[in-house]
Amino acid sequence: MNPGMKLLLVMIIALEISFTQSLTVNIILIGVSLIYILLQRVHMKALFGLLFWPLFPALGLFVSQWLYGSAGIHFAWILFTRIYAYVFLGATFTLTSSITDLSLTLEQDFRLPAKFAYGVLAAFNLMPKITEEIRIIKTSALMRGQALHFWSPKLYFKSILSSIQWSQNLAEAMTSHGFVEDQARTHYKVIRITAMDWILFVGLLVIVQALLYFLRY
Amino acid sequence: MDNKSQVSGGKKQSQWTLRNIILIALIAIFTGIIFWGAGFLYTALTVALTPIGMAPFANDLLMGLWCMAGPLTGFIIRTFGSAFLGEFLGAAVEVFLGGQWGAGAFISGLVQGIGSELGFALTGYKRYDWLGLNASIFTTVVITFAWDMIKNGYNKFGLPLLLALFITRYISTFIFGGVLTKMIVKLLDRSKAINL
Amino acid sequence: MTDVSINHFTFHYPESDVKVLNDINLTFKSHHFSLLSGPSGSGKSTLLYFIAGLYPRFIGIDATGSIKFGDTDIKDIPRSKVSQSVAMMFQNPNQQFAMDTVIHEMTFVLENLRLEPATMDDIITRALDFCGIKQLRGRVINTLSGGEKQRVALACIVAMDPQVIVLDEPFASIDPDSRADLIDKLKILQEKHGKTIILADHDLTSYRDLIDEFYYLDPDSHHISLLDDEQAEHFFKNFESTQTINKQVPIPSGDANAIIHLSDFKLAPHGTDLLTLGNFHFYKQKTTLITGANGIGKSTLFNALTKLLPYDGTITFDGKDIKKIRPLPYAKNVTLLFQDAENQFLNITVKEEIDLSLTNRTNTDYTQEDVDDMLKQLDMDGKDDRIVYSLSEGQKKKLQIIEMLIMNPPVLLMDEPFKGLDYRSLETVVGFLNRAKSQFYQTQIVISHQLSGLDELVDYHATFKDQNLAYQEVIK
Ligand SMILES: Nc1ncnc2c1ncn2[C@@H]1O[C@H](COP(=O)(O)OP(=O)(O)OP(=O)(O)O)[C@@H](O)[C@H]1O
Ligand SMILES: Nc1ncnc2c1ncn2[C@@H]1O[C@H](COP(=O)(O)OP(=O)(O)OP(=O)(O)O)[C@@H](O)[C@H]1O
Ligand SMILES: [Mg+2]
Ligand SMILES: [Mg+2]
């Protein structure tokens, strides 16, 4: 499915289940997403992470609602499954789509100005370097006798200085590579939203509406 | 290191230049990765608080941290939408790093982004001082709290608990989104790295 | 014929009181290979960014005078057409690609030029072929080495096919083989494809018989002059003499007096093996110089010694496994002077920086007078309120060295500490280091390409070659 449509669908459904209260639908969404993910052959380790880490917030919400909430154990279960529904819905997108394709379709089909699509993409592609840079900032501070933590203004200050320099370098390099803001470009890989995408998008959305309407428990 | 670039032309010129877009995204990713490193803290707090049913406090205690990218980018690129974009992208980073929120982080990012943007909007993108910052803190707390009433079932809690959570969140947002942001902006200001 | 002519070109940064470029008049001839040299901070990059059409747009301050391609002022070329005239290759291989993979980046470039998609595959294949990197086509850019990234950058430019190619110290971070190879490619581009090449560099290796013109930017007059053969020869000779010294040093052995010990050590943080060592010692209260080709892994070794990157085997400091020493105490004992001075700064003004070191140091061996005296000797006195980020590269380096000396760690690692320092400052710094060694028992390990002036300092010399590190008797 077109990554833009997929992201939109995931976000709409996630938004909807935040407002509605159906345990059954949450479980169905988890199940369907899980099957979809499994069909795409993901690593067991990734799958384990998906199951394990959300356990903490989910359990936390569950217990507090159970002890202090006025809506009983059923509602606590809804909150519990809601967390997992978010996670698995999100995973159907993140584990199976590339950010590059997302940018391409946002530019070509969703009429997002190219400078946003490629500017943000270029920044995301630097993610490994950013992790490295944060480590360098922390280590060099240690060598001057200061430990920087996530609450230290200087850690952010140094990060922002790097961001300023890097954004300048990247923008210059992209410009030198022929990129001109607000100018039409050709497209080697044309990503279209196909009839099939629309059918899937609308179809799945309708099904979720129907489920939410009929399965109130 | 000089930020007068591109911006200095006519006053009318849009701030949404390629460079500024990349800058917002980079700041969002840097902060996103720093918070992600602090993710263990959330898990640890949750584990500690779950047996007494107080786990939502973990959420509210750290809320300010998660809502920092917005005020920061809003302060650095002073134009409509920059706080929103920074906050939203900051949350999106967590999704791609495989945070424990999944699609929830996208939605939280949207809500928090609207929250911090609204404050700057209320002051007409003119007050880049304590007032503007406090407006942003206020709208962030109100909007995200309203959202958690729905999403995390806060509306089913009794009034005392609700009040305690709200105050916790306000303090957290004030400290991280307010005091810490102000300190960072002051450093930037003094270093002349950016023409504030 | 599109000569690049610079006419009455004057530029000055508002923060500085001098004009970096003062009434420059010269013509880079079409189809020629021009080399522009000059000391660090003389204004080479500034000029090249203007020629490439990136300034004034990205700096917001305009210059007076004009730059013309043939008869057309660069300002009159529509923005969408600039990249047909000129493209630039940058010094830093890291932030010059927007996309994730090589093929995506090259496609992105051609899309920007609004080429027909059907023609792209061909152009890309030919450009990759020309640069000898067909096999990198599908690779993720983040996993490439510096030299490979620079080849990809060149391939992008070849695909774009601009008239003029501007390069700003493009080989600063890559190994000699890649460097020689890339220079060859540039020569072919000039001779066979009629490109105009304008290249800035202060490392003069391998340009001697290859360039058509040698321009020199004089840092005092802020003028650029075209050198005649004799003058050029003088520069090349001078440069070579700074690359060698001739000194005999002893080869140490045994573990008496050793302070850092590497055993069964293997360094391969990015997949390829960089260094394998059965046993290696660094010695207490000595200065060990490490030399080796660009990209061989010297900085990476320092990163392992400071726990920034993973390694196999064991490193001990003072008999303790460094993995068992907590980060803060370890960082105060084995300290790295980072290659990029800005990395080391945590405050805003010069005084705050010095004060931070005075507050956090582990011992008080240096008195306030010592500090004032060091500042004075390096011309850094009276700059208390200067913003550190606005200092020149050389000044940043000097401040960084002083503040790390004040910290006075038992082991000081230094990665290219003399880069950007003039000869007099270098001698002064060598004096400071000798004092730290003899009076405060400091152990120093230095990576340096620049060797002249270090005779007095170096006790041992280890060369990094063929994935091995071995002590040598001579330094040259
Ligand atoms: N944004 C800026 N604001 C103020 N001064 C600057 C700025 N950028 C550069 N300078 C100063 O202008 C001078 C010329 O800088 P430039 O980078 O062009 O030198 P360079 O010859 O390329 O040096 P290097 O060989 O070190 O790259 C330097 O003294 C530098 O400190
Ligand atoms: N993140 C990375 N991913 C892959 N390869 C890398 C990465 N960082 C460095 N390298 C490669 O590791 C090798 C060692 O690099 P290093 O910086 O240690 O060299 P060096 O000896 O310090 O060179 P120089 O004299 O130029 O400073 C180089 O070939 C470099 O391209
Ligand atoms: Mg330069
Ligand atoms: Mg190095």
Side-chain angles (χ1 to χ4, degrees):
Chain A
M1 189 175 179
N2 175 294
M5 297 283 268
K6 198 195 272 180
L7 180 60
L8 200 62
L9 183 65
V10 162
M11 283 181 56
I12 292 176
I13 297 177
L15 205 60
E16 265 191 305
I17 59 166
S18 311
F19 286 100
T20 51
Q21 299 172 7
S22 166
L23 185 58
T24 331
V25 173
N26 284 355
I27 292 171
I28 291 174
L29 285 172
I30 295 171
V32 172
S33 304
L34 184 61
I35 291 168
Y36 179 78
I37 295 167
L38 287 175
L39 286 178
Q40 309 277 336
R41 275 185 256 133
V42 296
H43 286 289
M44 282 321 283
K45 214 176 133 206
L47 198 64
F48 175 76
L50 285 183
L51 283 168
F52 182 70
W53 292 110
L55 198 60
F56 299 100
L59 216 56
L61 276 178
F62 178 84
V63 174
S64 64
Q65 201 57 239
W66 184 35
L67 292 181
Y68 302 104
S70 57
I73 188 106
H74 177 251
F75 186 66
W77 277 116
I78 289 177
L79 290 184
F80 185 89
T81 50
R82 194 182 274 172
I83 297 274
Y84 273 99
Y86 286 145
V87 169
F88 280 94
L89 279 170
T92 61
F93 174 77
T94 51
L95 292 182
T96 64
S97 319
S98 84
I99 342 184
T100 307
D101 284 346
L102 178 64
S103 302
L104 293 185
T105 186
L106 287 179
E107 182 206 3
Q108 295 177 34
D109 307 313
F110 291 77
R111 304 261 162 251
L112 184 72
K115 59 184 176 183
F116 283 94
Y118 291 98
V120 174
L121 179 63
F124 266 82
N125 283 333
L126 280 180
M127 231 148 89
K129 287 274 166 225
I130 293 175
T131 316
E132 213 171 288
E133 183 77 1
I134 292 173
R135 210 166 45 222
I136 289 175
I137 293 172
K138 285 185 172 169
T139 307
S140 63
L142 279 184
M143 289 171 175
R144 309 226 28 228
Q146 267 200 4
L148 296 184
H149 307 280
F150 66 85
W151 61 82
S152 316
K154 277 178 190 156
L155 178 58
Y156 297 90
F157 168 62
K158 299 290 286 183
S159 298
I160 292 170
L161 287 184
S162 298
S163 304
I164 292 173
Q165 208 146 46
W166 293 14
S167 64
Q168 180 90 5
N169 291 352
L170 256 182
E172 284 167 357
M174 286 168 74
T175 306
S176 182
H177 279 179
F179 185 83
V180 179
E181 293 172 32
D182 308 319
Q183 183 201 255
R185 312 168 67 250
T186 52
H187 302 290
Y188 178 82
K189 180 171 177 182
V190 178
I191 298 197
R192 285 275 161 269
I193 299 178
T194 60
M196 194 59 199
D197 287 329
W198 275 112
I199 292 170
L200 272 173
F201 181 81
V202 176
L204 287 170
L205 212 54
V206 168
I207 293 175
V208 171
Q209 304 316 308
L211 289 175
L212 283 171
Y213 186 79
F214 290 111
L215 304 174
R216 294 291 175 95
Y217 180 74
Chain B
M1 190 79 358
D2 196 282
N3 191 46
K4 275 171 219 79
S5 38
Q6 302 190 326
V7 191
S8 66
K11 256 234 148 61
K12 286 254 157 58
Q13 209 174 353
S14 162
Q15 293 259 46
W16 289 108
T17 57
L18 176 65
R19 207 211 60 160
N20 284 353
I21 293 166
I22 300 175
L23 179 56
I24 290 175
L26 283 177
I27 293 174
I29 299 171
F30 264 104
T31 41
I33 292 179
I34 294 172
F35 304 156
W36 192 64
F40 73 94
L41 197 68
Y42 172 79
T43 304
L45 270 174
T46 310
V47 170
L49 293 170
T50 294
I52 52 166
M54 289 295 166
F57 277 99
N59 187 42
D60 286 75
L61 269 169
L62 294 179
M63 182 53 81
L65 203 55
W66 294 324
C67 293
M68 254 183 78
L72 269 180
T73 50
F75 244 89
I76 290 167
I77 314 288
R78 302 177 164 187
T79 193
F80 167 76
S82 62
F84 172 80
L85 186 64
E87 187 62 50
F88 178 70
L89 290 177
V93 173
E94 313 267 320
V95 183
F96 286 104
L97 286 171
Q100 43 198 330
W101 305 109
F106 276 131
I107 312 275
S108 314
L110 275 180
V111 173
Q112 292 159 6
I114 294 170
S116 41
E117 184 70 37
L118 215 57
F120 291 107
L122 281 179
T123 53
Y125 302 97
K126 290 203 180 71
R127 298 295 300 262
Y128 288 93
D129 50 16
W130 256 122
L131 186 91
L133 202 52
N134 271 300
S136 176
I137 293 166
F138 176 76
T139 51
T140 303
V141 174
V142 170
I143 300 263
T144 58
F145 202 79
W147 174 245
D148 273 333
M149 301 267 280
I150 300 161
K151 188 194 96 177
N152 285 337
Y154 281 18
N155 56 345
K156 300 291 194 305
F157 290 139
L159 194 61
L161 182 58
L162 211 55
L163 216 57
L165 284 170
F166 186 84
I167 291 169
T168 309
R169 177 170 306 204
Y170 209 105
I171 292 172
S172 159
T173 311
F174 183 79
I175 289 174
F176 289 109
V179 178
L180 189 55
T181 303
K182 189 77 193 160
M183 285 160 87
I184 297 164
V185 169
K186 212 158 151 188
L187 284 170
L188 282 169
D189 200 11
R190 285 213 297 136
S191 76
K192 304 236 169 72
I194 201 149
N195 53 338
L196 288 167
Chain C
M1 289 290 279
T2 46
D3 289 345
V4 178
S5 56
I6 323 275
N7 314 297
H8 298 292
F9 196 82
T10 300
F11 180 76
H12 98 264
Y13 288 100
E15 294 88 350
S16 94
D17 32 358
V18 290
K19 297 169 173 149
V20 255
L21 301 165
N22 190 7
D23 196 28
I24 306 281
N25 287 289
L26 61 95
T27 300
F28 292 107
K29 289 210 198 67
S30 184
H31 305 194
H32 279 221
F33 195 132
S34 307
L35 175 66
L36 173 62
S37 195
S40 176
S42 54
K44 303 182 294 295
S45 303
T46 310
L47 180 65
L48 295 194
Y49 274 70
F50 272 104
I51 296 176
L54 293 171
Y55 287 176
R57 209 153 72 73
F58 282 100
I59 192 153
I61 317 148
D62 208 349
T64 57
S66 67
I67 294 177
K68 284 183 178 157
F69 285 70
D71 296 323
T72 323
D73 194 302
I74 185 164
K75 288 184 176 154
D76 298 329
I77 306 176
R79 268 170 69 178
S80 55
K81 294 265 162 37
V82 172
S83 43
Q84 290 168 15
S85 306
V86 57
M88 177 149 176
M89 191 163 145
F90 303 86
Q91 173 172 354
N92 186 337
N94 279 326
Q95 294 115 28
Q96 48 173 324
F97 303 103
M99 308 295 283
D100 53 349
T101 64
V102 174
I103 177 78
H104 285 163
E105 180 70 23
M106 298 200 66
T107 317
F108 169 76
V109 169
L110 297 179
E111 288 174 348
N112 291 336
L113 305 183
R114 290 190 275 182
L115 262 62
E116 277 302 314
T119 63
M120 289 180 185
D121 280 327
D122 234 26
I123 297 175
I124 293 173
T125 307
R126 267 188 283 128
L128 288 173
D129 220 6
F130 178 83
C131 296
I133 46 169
K134 263 196 305 203
Q135 74 287 359
L136 298 185
R137 196 182 178 102
R139 286 280 296 277
V140 173
I141 294 173
N142 273 323
T143 66
L144 301 179
S145 73
E148 288 172 329
K149 281 182 198 157
Q150 290 301 59
R151 278 169 210 249
V152 175
L154 186 64
C156 289
I157 292 177
V158 170
M160 290 171 73
D161 198 27
Q163 208 14 253
V164 179
I165 304 176
V166 174
L167 306 99
D168 186 13
E169 297 189 39
F171 314 123
S173 57
I174 68 178
D175 59 89
D177 291 343
S178 300
R179 178 192 166 95
D181 193 52
L182 280 166
I183 293 179
D184 277 350
K185 302 281 191 254
L186 289 174
K187 195 65 192 167
I188 299 173
L189 283 172
Q190 176 222 339
E191 285 183 334
K192 303 249 167 69
H193 302 264
K195 301 296 175 207
T196 308
I197 314 268
I198 306 172
L199 189 149
D201 208 334
H202 45 212
D203 177 352
L204 300 181
T205 320
S206 65
Y207 290 118
R208 194 189 289 230
D209 302 316
L210 187 122
I211 51 166
D212 299 305
E213 270 99 23
F214 188 146
Y215 293 93
Y216 182 73
L217 208 178
D218 187 273
D220 300 318
S221 66
H222 308 284
H223 279 297
I224 295 177
S225 45
L226 173 61
L227 306 183
D228 60 32
D229 288 350
E230 198 179 320
Q231 289 167 313
E233 197 53 33
H234 175 73
F235 269 92
F236 283 121
K237 283 243 168 69
N238 244 353
F239 172 76
E240 276 157 21
S241 73
T242 65
Q243 298 300 296
T244 52
I245 53 175
N246 216 330
K247 192 190 174 193
Q248 291 287 127
V249 288
I251 294 186
S253 64
D255 53 11
N257 278 327
I259 187 157
I260 290 179
H261 178 212
L262 289 74
S263 52
D264 300 322
F265 182 78
K266 201 172 125 194
L267 189 61
H270 311 297
T272 45
D273 280 4
L274 291 175
L275 179 62
T276 318
L277 285 174
N279 237 321
F280 193 88
H281 297 284
F282 287 105
Y283 294 92
K284 203 177 275 182
Q285 213 195 338
K286 298 286 178 195
T287 304
T288 305
L289 170 72
I290 298 179
T291 58
N294 293 113
I296 198 94
K298 303 181 298 294
S299 301
T300 311
L301 173 64
F302 273 12
N303 285 339
L305 288 174
T306 50
K307 302 208 267 190
L308 270 165
L309 279 175
Y311 57 86
D312 291 328
T314 321
I315 301 178
T316 59
F317 165 68
D318 236 355
K320 283 188 286 291
D321 188 338
I322 65 168
K323 283 186 175 149
K324 302 211 171 88
I325 309 176
R326 293 178 53 78
L328 187 58
Y330 185 66
K332 283 185 162 185
N333 276 304
V334 179
T335 293
L336 172 62
L337 189 90
F338 278 84
Q339 206 163 355
D340 180 1
E342 276 194 19
N343 266 333
Q344 216 109 39
F345 299 148
L346 278 173
N347 278 334
I348 311 290
T349 66
V350 172
K351 182 158 191 336
E352 288 169 357
E353 278 292 322
I354 297 288
D355 287 347
L356 180 71
S357 282
L358 288 170
T359 314
N360 285 351
R361 59 185 172 168
T362 37
N363 50 60
T364 50
D365 289 340
Y366 288 92
T367 62
Q368 183 68 47
E369 280 99 75
D370 285 335
V371 176
D372 292 340
D373 187 50
M374 287 199 285
L375 287 168
K376 199 168 155 72
Q377 284 196 51
L378 285 175
D379 287 327
M380 290 297 291
D381 54 336
K383 294 194 169 45
D384 281 2
D385 296 324
R386 277 288 296 271
I387 293 161
V388 290
Y389 298 97
S390 78
L391 296 171
S392 82
E393 288 310 312
Q395 291 168 334
K396 282 180 198 164
K397 202 80 224 176
K398 292 183 204 169
L399 176 62
Q400 181 198 16
I401 290 173
I402 294 173
E403 64 193 27
M404 297 320 280
L405 282 173
I406 299 175
M407 294 300 294
N408 203 15
V411 178
L412 183 59
L413 311 176
M414 291 171 270
D415 198 350
E416 300 283 359
F418 312 114
K419 222 177 188 171
L421 290 188
D422 53 63
Y423 200 79
R424 202 179 61 79
S425 310
L426 181 137
E427 287 180 310
T428 314
V429 169
V430 165
F432 295 166
L433 289 171
N434 270 328
R435 174 177 180 213
K437 184 166 58 179
S438 57
Q439 284 185 17
F440 309 134
Y441 313 111
Q442 190 168 61
T443 305
Q444 296 159 350
I445 307 175
V446 190
I447 294 174
S448 184
H449 285 290
Q450 127 93 44
L451 301 178
S452 59
L454 303 188
D455 316 47
E456 295 298 306
L457 180 68
V458 176
D459 300 302
Y460 300 134
H461 174 218
T463 50
F464 198 147
K465 209 166 100 185
D466 303 326
Q467 296 162 24
N468 189 28
L469 192 61
Y471 282 109
Q472 305 286 324
E473 266 187 319
V474 282
I475 313 172
K476 57 174 178 180

